[in-house]
Amino acid sequence: KVVTIAKSKKFRDHHGKVLLEGQRLIKDALEAGAALQTLFFSTVGHLKELPEAELKRASLVKVKFEDIKNWSDLVTPQGLIGIFSKPDHAKMSYPAAQLTSSLPLLLICDNIRDPGNLGTILRSAAGAGCEKVLLTKGCVDPWEPKVLRAGMGAHFRLPIIANLDWESVPSNLPAGIQVCVADNKDPSAQAETVSVPRGAGRAGSAPGSPKAPVKSKPKAAPEDEEGAAGVCIPDLATQYYYENWTQTPVAGGIGGETHGLSPAAFHLAASTGGRRLVIPVVPGVDSLNSAIAAGIVLFEGKRQLLRRHKQADERQKVPVV
């Protein structure tokens, strides 16, 4: 049963359970209010660092380390595996330090199908002080063990709302938000050629800096895996990521490396007055890893928002004559 929870998304969803392994991840989950059902441990010493009150509500099962080793897919198992009720972001108690550092900055992930990439993106989002992360149905399950390991506790530091269809994404965003999407086309090349956004979420190439944001032309995407042919991509101003793009609040959209962002992501960006953001790289380099691109966009957004807040504070301190 332990192995099944770890390996099968269908089983996790049907039974409403997730599996967490290792002392740090289990401790983070307990402190955030996740409900522990069963804890398997190999030595009593593993329990000493965990909140005692939370352990009293769970079933504690001492097993041989060899059993945990067989169940685990870690290279070096820690001798501690917990089965939790699937956490509800609305009922979690996120760390006070995380909440006080939170910015009006959100992240929308689309078609991120590599577990390591998604976990790294979630870790970056927590580190940047994101308000929350939205995951569309095209993303890998955030409760998959590889995503949890790469996230390093990010799942219990900020709200992660998964399995959203694009119709429900706007209802999970604050009013007045601007959505900007990471793209892999250079602004200086937009006037000459327009290509299909298959690599949205990957950073583009080509040097140079445009004098002003360039509008990309409406175009039709080719038939994709779902068979949707001739999908129109709306106009979006294109600019480099280090140019000013932050409003309050703002969301960044990141797509997977293979499928990129869905056309719906570009429509959402257009409806909010958003832009395409390009990370310029050396010519000949096709693109950046989606997790790296997300980190660059997130921390640049953080830098811009903090600078904006600092300028606002300084204006308030100037005496009015």
Side-chain angles (χ1 to χ4, degrees):
K1 189 175 181 181
V2 172
V3 174
T4 305
I5 293 172
K7 305 291 183 187
S8 171
K9 179 183 185 298
K10 186 176 180 180
F11 189 93
R12 287 194 297 270
D13 291 344
H14 181 71
H15 293 276
K17 300 178 188 294
V18 297
L19 183 143
L20 305 180
E21 186 169 1
Q23 190 174 72
R24 177 178 175 178
L25 196 55
I26 290 173
K27 185 179 180 183
D28 286 347
L30 290 173
E31 289 177 348
L36 176 63
Q37 295 181 349
T38 307
L39 184 69
F40 298 97
F41 64 97
S42 58
T43 64
V44 178
H46 290 314
L47 306 179
K48 292 181 179 178
E49 297 298 320
L50 301 177
E52 187 177 337
E54 302 299 328
L55 293 181
K56 288 180 179 178
R57 301 190 183 103
S59 299
L60 306 181
V61 185
K62 191 173 186 299
V63 297
K64 294 178 181 177
F65 181 75
E66 290 302 317
D67 289 333
I68 288 182
K69 197 172 180 180
N70 290 333
W71 302 338
S72 173
D73 59 353
L74 293 179
V75 177
T76 54
Q78 298 179 30
L80 207 59
I81 291 179
I83 297 176
F84 286 76
S85 300
K86 197 168 188 178
D88 180 354
H89 69 89
K91 298 177 181 177
M92 300 290 281
S93 302
Y94 298 106
Q98 188 78 34
L99 296 174
T100 55
S101 301
S102 180
L103 293 166
L105 176 65
L106 287 81
L107 183 65
I108 304 170
C109 296
D110 186 36
N111 294 323
I112 307 291
R113 300 182 184 180
D114 181 88
N117 279 348
L118 181 58
T120 303
I121 289 171
L122 296 177
R123 187 178 178 184
S124 295
C130 264
E131 190 175 303
K132 62 181 170 182
V133 178
L134 307 182
L135 307 179
T136 67
K137 288 184 175 179
C139 293
V140 65
D141 180 18
W143 299 105
E144 187 174 298
K146 289 181 180 178
V147 182
L148 285 161
R149 284 203 302 276
M152 293 290 288
H155 293 70
F156 305 107
R157 299 193 68 84
L158 79 169
I160 298 168
I161 307 171
N163 206 34
L164 295 172
D165 51 42
W166 278 102
E167 289 73 20
S168 60
V169 168
S171 63
N172 286 280
L173 296 173
I177 195 169
Q178 186 179 67
V179 177
C180 295
V181 293
D183 202 356
N184 69 338
K185 280 171 289 301
D186 188 81
S188 59
Q190 287 291 324
E192 300 171 12
T193 177
V194 178
S195 58
V196 177
R198 301 304 295 166
R202 296 182 287 171
S205 58
S209 177
K211 294 180 180 178
V214 181
K215 289 254 184 177
S216 56
K217 300 175 183 177
K219 50 199 171 293
E223 186 170 341
D224 59 15
E225 287 181 341
E226 288 72 32
V231 179
C232 183
I233 303 298
D235 274 352
L236 275 182
T238 304
Q239 65 177 63
Y240 291 128
Y241 79 98
Y242 49 75
E243 296 171 321
N244 186 38
W245 51 273
T246 55
Q247 302 296 324
T248 304
V250 65
I254 296 289
E257 293 173 52
T258 303
H259 297 87
L261 285 162
S262 303
F266 293 91
H267 283 282
L268 179 61
S271 69
T272 62
R275 301 172 175 229
R276 296 177 188 259
L277 304 177
V278 172
I279 304 171
V281 294
V282 172
V285 176
D286 177 49
S287 64
L288 293 180
N289 169 278
S290 58
I292 297 294
I296 292 171
V297 169
L298 284 171
F299 279 91
E300 173 60 20
K302 177 179 182 177
R303 186 191 69 80
Q304 292 186 17
L305 285 169
L306 291 177
R307 183 185 62 184
R308 190 185 298 273
H309 293 168
K310 184 179 179 182
Q311 289 172 344
D313 289 343
E314 288 174 351
R315 282 196 296 268
Q316 290 176 358
K317 291 176 182 177
V318 176
V320 179
V321 179

